[in-house]
Amino acid sequence: GRWSRKVTSQLRDRAEPRVLSLAQGVITPNETLADDMRRRTDTPVRIVRNPVDVGNYRVLRDRLVKPPLTTDRTLRIVYTGSIYAAQADSLRRLCESIELLRQRGISMQLHTYGPPPSREIRDVLPVDRIHFHPAVSPVEAAEVQVQADLIFLPLSFDCEYPELIRTSAPGKFGEYLASGTPVVVHAPLGSFPVTFVAEHRCAASCDRPESRQLAETLAGLIEMPAAAEAICLRAINVAEDFAEQVNRERFLELVATRPVFAAA
């Protein structure tokens, strides 16, 4: 709230070109933002993803056994992380979709793990239909993700910063893929998670702000367990690209080969 549009526009128009002209390299967490940067500068761009301890997820997947997706019990769909304007409308739409699924005999509950949302955000959420849990440690979050029936990755369709949404690479994205749990991405068309999922077929995706369409996406995973399993196997393979060691090497390669970084 302390940064007005006037101030941020001045930083964009005056400071950013200067910074880019002096930079020896630009690091971005995903392809969407990397493509944007390449259109704006000749400075070399390197993708270094938000890193994930994939080894820990490998151990948890072997140790924690969960029942298959079925309509014979109440399923847990999980979101781990903070809830603010970048997720609120998609989470609200998920609650509406869960009600639509209930009408066709599929029982599901939304469980969130993270800091309590602000009063402003709670006012736009059907809080009586969400099971809020306190924030947990990264180790505990990994266990929650692996034991969930479904994982939800929301990005807003209706907020004041659509470009930030489009280029966002949520830190939990790689974690979700590594969990071996079916992931449902609900985000605008053209946003990084939607584009990445379409390319790698590693999650289910709903890129329209429609509750019925999201309900159909969820039902497709539940009613076709073989397809859900195939998605999870591809997600586990793709998650290796988010591994800590892989991205550490990418970063070190960049700083070792760019003169200013190497001199530092």
Side-chain angles (χ1 to χ4, degrees):
R2 293 192 297 269
W3 290 88
S4 70
R5 294 183 184 276
K6 180 179 179 180
V7 171
T8 54
S9 63
Q10 288 177 349
L11 285 173
R12 178 197 64 208
D13 297 337
R14 299 179 186 178
E16 185 187 58
R18 175 65 173 165
V19 170
L20 289 177
S21 70
L22 296 174
Q24 294 294 315
V26 178
I27 297 171
T28 74
N30 66 73
E31 290 83 351
T32 302
L33 189 54
D35 290 343
D36 279 5
M37 295 306 300
R38 291 186 181 110
R39 285 191 290 267
R40 292 158 63 181
T41 179
D42 293 329
T43 305
V45 178
R46 175 65 58 87
I47 296 173
V48 179
R49 301 197 187 280
N50 297 313
V52 176
D53 183 357
V54 294
N56 179 50
Y57 279 91
R58 198 175 298 122
V59 171
L60 289 174
R61 292 197 308 267
D62 291 338
R63 179 168 63 85
L64 300 174
V65 179
K66 60 186 177 186
L69 291 176
T70 176
T71 58
D72 296 336
R73 60 186 176 88
T74 298
L75 302 173
R76 287 169 55 92
I77 184 166
V78 163
Y79 170 78
T80 57
S82 300
I83 301 174
Y84 55 105
Q87 297 87 23
D89 70 291
S90 287
L91 284 167
R92 184 191 70 245
R93 204 169 294 111
L94 173 60
C95 293
E96 296 169 355
S97 300
I98 289 174
E99 176 60 24
L100 292 173
L101 291 174
R102 186 189 65 78
Q103 297 173 12
R104 57 193 282 182
I106 299 175
S107 178
M108 185 182 300
Q109 292 178 345
L110 169 59
H111 292 258
T112 67
Y113 293 78
S118 68
R119 179 177 299 178
E120 179 183 3
I121 296 301
R122 291 179 69 91
D123 286 344
V124 302
L125 292 174
V127 294
D128 58 322
R129 287 185 271 169
I130 302 175
H131 297 262
F132 292 99
H133 301 269
V136 294
S137 69
V139 172
E140 293 170 315
E143 293 185 357
V144 168
Q145 293 159 3
V146 172
Q147 290 181 302
D149 293 301
L150 297 166
I151 296 179
F152 191 59
L153 180 65
L155 284 176
S156 177
F157 290 77
D158 181 22
C159 71
E160 296 180 354
Y161 34 85
E163 279 302 296
L164 181 60
I165 295 295
R166 186 180 67 83
T167 59
S168 176
K172 62 184 74 67
F173 187 36
E175 298 176 4
Y176 285 3
L177 297 175
S179 70
T181 298
V183 178
V184 178
V185 174
H186 187 38
L189 182 67
S191 62
F192 163 67
V194 170
T195 303
F196 188 91
V197 164
E199 178 180 354
H200 297 281
R201 298 183 298 141
C202 54
S205 176
C206 177
D207 57 23
R208 299 192 309 199
E210 299 174 4
S211 301
R212 290 193 178 278
Q213 184 63 42
L214 179 56
E216 291 299 324
T217 302
L218 292 163
L221 285 174
I222 298 165
E223 296 173 348
M224 293 184 288
E229 183 177 357
I231 284 174
C232 291
L233 291 175
R234 287 192 290 268
I236 290 170
N237 289 331
V238 170
E240 294 295 326
D241 198 50
F242 292 76
E244 290 177 345
Q245 184 62 32
V246 170
N247 288 282
R248 183 183 298 116
E249 291 173 359
R250 287 172 179 162
F251 175 76
L252 292 176
E253 180 184 357
L254 175 65
V255 299
T257 56
R258 306 309 301 173
V260 168
F261 289 148

